Amino acid sequence: MDKVRETALKILYKIDKENAYSNIVLDDEINKNRSKLNERDIGLISEIIYGTTTWKLTIDEIIKKYSKIKLKKYSKWVLNIIRMGIYQIVFLDKIPKSAAVNESVNLCKKYGTKSSGLVNAILRKVERDDYLEFEKIENSAEKISKMYSMPEWIVKRLIKENGILKAEDICKNSNIKPKLSIRVNKIKNTSKELIKRLKEKNIIVNNGDLEDFLIVEKLKNLNDLEEFKQGKFTVQDESAGLTSVILNPQKGDYVLDACSAPGGKTTYIAELMNNNGRILAWDLHEHRTKLIQDNAERLGIDIITTEVKDATILDKDLIEKFDKILLDVPCMGLGVIKRKPDIKWHRKEEDIKEISNVQYNILDVCSKYLKKGGNLVYSTCSILKEENEEIIEKFLENNPNFEINEYKIDNKYNKFIEKNGYIKINTTDKNDGFFICKIHKKKANITT
């Protein structure tokens, strides 16, 4: 039996049974079996897991076409065997249909004995262009949902806020495999030096759209790479890194990052300050503040102090203490679905109200910690107005001593700045979806 597909099946089964996140289960399973798997095996397992998870809704619609049995009647083993078989047939060009069918049947003989004939019959009927039949659906939300494997409630929200064409683009781009983006740690080396060292290891490197970022390919075993262990770089998407750039921290600043774990933005702030100044980094959980500390230590940063703290609870001792504040608040995460496809299956529409209340409370409380004349950046990796524009509008209405800080960015991200000063990146083929707004606290009025 094919060990690669059997491992993939066990991971998909565990994800379904425990409602777990694919990246966590995948990492655990690969670590357990690393001695038995080569890089090619790990690559195919990852492809099957992320691909099947990403396209689950579309795949299930294809199953319905060829099976009279309702999905909930299948055992989790058999359903996931069929799902991964269809993913290989429809979405992976390099795998012959016969191989996908035969290996799925073999798996079924072990994990679903009585269903091997059914699995064989369904998969032999599946064609590569089956998912294209959804183009014929007249209802736009339903069509986009089934074409691009996106829950219909999300599609309806996106259509309402962006129109049909933009909503379809966002859903399509959410299925594109993201490229690996790394951030050069200028405390330890220059971009030129790092590029040279990576190319010597046959890693493909190209400049990103932001100054400190590189796009890399063929980078394997990241954690074992000497340059990574030495803190020469860290992994971060450019859209996420942009929040620190917009904050524009300076040497000697006292900065608060109130929702900081795992520390990507926090450490970038420190690098932009050339490790000169003070940063206070909060998170609700101690194990997550440990991630910040570990990242900072690897990168050679010593100006970050971490605390376990709830950013929604006012600390009167900190009022007007900080020069700059970053609030990368908890969110629905709909802008990073291409990296974390589980998000679209775990999130529910009713979650939005609860999350947006938390977001507003964090902004309202933490804004009090900003010095007069200071700047605060509010950001999310989400793309819904209820989490973004509506939060800012409500805050400014209730706090007339704050205003949006208008600015320009000297790079390709300038095109994402809207007239009202918001930076809104709807998920593109290159970028994660992100919202960023810089707010200025006015200085006290001078009276005579």
Side-chain angles (χ1 to χ4, degrees):
M1 182 175 292
D2 186 337
K3 279 290 179 188
V4 169
R5 288 175 174 83
E6 185 176 22
T7 302
L9 174 62
K10 288 178 180 178
I11 294 169
L12 288 172
Y13 176 82
K14 191 171 183 180
I15 291 168
D16 257 12
K17 185 181 179 182
E18 300 178 5
N19 201 27
Y21 281 92
S22 55
N23 63 317
I24 296 172
V25 182
L26 176 63
D27 288 346
D28 287 346
E29 199 66 30
I30 286 176
N31 287 333
K32 288 178 190 174
N33 295 279
R34 190 169 288 278
S35 61
K36 305 172 188 175
L37 302 169
N38 58 39
E39 288 303 318
R40 188 175 179 181
D41 293 337
I42 293 171
L44 182 54
I45 292 169
S46 300
E47 176 68 53
I48 291 172
I49 298 304
Y50 284 119
T52 305
T53 303
T54 295
W55 290 98
K56 184 168 68 172
L57 188 151
T58 301
I59 290 169
D60 283 355
E61 290 298 321
I62 294 172
I63 295 173
K64 291 176 188 177
K65 176 181 175 181
Y66 294 113
S67 174
K68 294 180 181 178
I69 302 172
K70 292 184 178 180
L71 295 180
K72 63 183 179 181
K73 295 289 185 180
Y74 282 100
S75 78
K76 292 187 186 302
W77 288 113
V78 174
L79 182 57
N80 281 302
I81 288 170
I82 299 172
R83 281 173 174 166
M84 56 190 275
I86 290 177
Y87 176 68
Q88 292 169 77
I89 293 168
V90 175
F91 297 102
L92 294 183
D93 294 331
K94 293 182 180 179
I95 294 181
K97 181 175 179 176
S98 57
V101 175
N102 293 337
E103 293 300 338
S104 298
V105 171
N106 288 337
L107 284 171
C108 206
K109 287 176 181 177
K110 182 175 179 179
Y111 293 93
T113 313
K114 296 179 181 180
S115 302
S116 56
L118 175 63
V119 170
N120 182 62
I122 291 173
L123 293 182
R124 290 198 180 280
K125 293 175 184 175
V126 173
E127 299 293 338
R128 291 199 178 278
D129 61 352
D130 267 332
Y131 80 105
L132 294 174
E133 291 187 7
F134 301 130
E135 288 182 337
K136 301 172 186 176
I137 298 172
E138 291 185 3
N139 180 280
S140 296
E142 182 187 356
K143 179 179 76 172
I144 293 170
S145 172
K146 292 178 179 178
M147 274 286 294
Y148 300 110
S149 192
M150 186 71 74
E152 196 166 329
W153 75 264
I154 296 178
V155 178
K156 287 178 178 177
R157 282 263 180 172
L158 294 176
I159 289 175
K160 182 180 178 181
E161 295 185 8
N162 303 277
I164 293 172
L165 294 179
K166 282 188 178 180
E168 184 169 2
D169 269 348
I170 292 168
C171 294
K172 182 179 179 180
N173 291 329
S174 294
N175 292 334
I176 295 174
K177 293 175 190 173
K179 291 186 177 179
L180 181 61
S181 169
I182 65 173
R183 187 186 80 227
V184 181
N185 181 6
K186 288 190 174 178
I187 294 172
K188 291 197 170 186
N189 60 174
T190 65
S191 296
K192 188 176 180 180
E193 289 168 344
L194 182 60
I195 290 170
K196 183 175 182 293
R197 292 185 65 168
L198 294 180
K199 284 186 174 179
E200 287 171 354
K201 292 178 167 61
N202 297 316
I203 297 168
I204 298 172
V205 189
N206 290 294
N207 288 314
D209 291 336
L210 280 180
E211 182 182 351
D212 298 331
F213 287 77
L214 304 172
I215 308 300
V216 296
E217 300 175 48
K218 297 188 176 181
L219 197 166
K220 298 175 182 178
N221 296 326
L222 171 69
N223 292 333
D224 296 330
L225 193 68
E226 199 61 32
E227 287 75 14
F228 179 78
K229 290 192 286 188
Q230 292 172 353
K232 305 286 187 182
F233 70 89
T234 197
V235 175
Q236 187 176 43
D237 181 72
E238 287 191 9
S239 295
L242 186 62
T243 58
S244 303
V245 173
I246 297 301
L247 186 64
N248 192 29
Q250 303 295 311
K251 290 180 182 180
D253 276 348
Y254 189 22
V255 180
L256 171 65
D257 186 350
C259 312
S260 57
K265 300 175 185 68
T266 322
T267 53
Y268 192 24
I269 291 169
E271 290 168 17
L272 291 170
M273 294 165 66
N274 199 28
N275 201 33
N276 183 330
R278 290 186 296 160
I279 300 172
L280 184 58
W282 292 344
D283 195 87
L284 279 171
H285 306 286
E286 187 172 359
H287 72 277
R288 287 176 62 79
T289 61
K290 180 69 165 56
L291 294 175
I292 304 166
Q293 293 164 1
D294 290 345
N295 276 325
E297 185 177 348
R298 182 179 62 82
L299 295 167
I301 294 166
D302 60 12
I303 64 169
I304 298 172
T305 301
T306 61
E307 286 184 4
V308 177
K309 199 172 183 72
D310 186 342
T312 65
I313 299 173
L314 181 67
D315 184 339
K316 293 182 179 179
D317 292 336
L318 296 177
I319 290 176
E320 296 193 352
K321 294 293 185 183
F322 295 93
D323 301 294
K324 295 185 174 73
I325 296 175
L326 174 62
L327 302 179
D328 185 54
V329 296
C331 67
M332 293 287 285
L334 302 188
V336 292
I337 285 174
K338 66 168 73 175
R339 296 180 188 279
K340 301 175 182 178
D342 310 79
I343 285 173
K344 58 186 174 183
W345 313 129
H346 285 276
R347 292 300 193 193
K348 306 297 179 188
E349 189 166 14
E350 52 267 30
D351 296 339
I352 300 173
K353 185 173 182 180
E354 182 180 350
I355 287 178
S356 63
N357 285 337
V358 171
Q359 292 164 340
Y360 183 82
N361 287 338
I362 290 173
L363 175 57
D364 186 51
V365 168
C366 291
S367 66
K368 295 174 173 56
Y369 304 143
L370 190 64
K371 291 179 180 177
K372 292 182 176 67
N375 291 317
L376 177 155
V377 166
Y378 173 94
S379 67
T380 75
C381 58
S382 201
I383 50 179
L384 299 179
K385 289 182 178 179
E386 198 169 333
E387 298 182 79
N388 298 318
E389 291 96 326
E390 291 180 17
I391 297 286
I392 300 297
E393 288 164 9
K394 179 182 175 182
F395 174 78
L396 293 178
E397 185 178 340
N398 294 334
N399 295 273
N401 56 325
F402 285 84
E403 61 187 354
I404 291 178
N405 195 323
E406 295 184 7
Y407 46 82
K408 287 188 177 181
I409 316 169
D410 190 22
N411 56 49
K412 293 181 181 178
Y413 284 89
N414 203 53
K415 64 185 177 183
F416 294 112
I417 300 178
E418 299 183 344
K419 290 181 180 179
N420 48 23
Y422 302 139
I423 296 177
K424 188 162 188 180
I425 307 172
N426 281 326
T427 311
T428 71
D429 55 342
K430 292 182 179 180
N431 304 108
D432 287 347
F434 240 85
F435 175 88
I436 304 171
C437 181
K438 190 173 186 177
I439 303 172
H440 177 71
K441 189 171 187 178
K442 300 173 186 177
K443 294 182 178 180
N445 292 329
I446 299 173
T447 57
T448 57

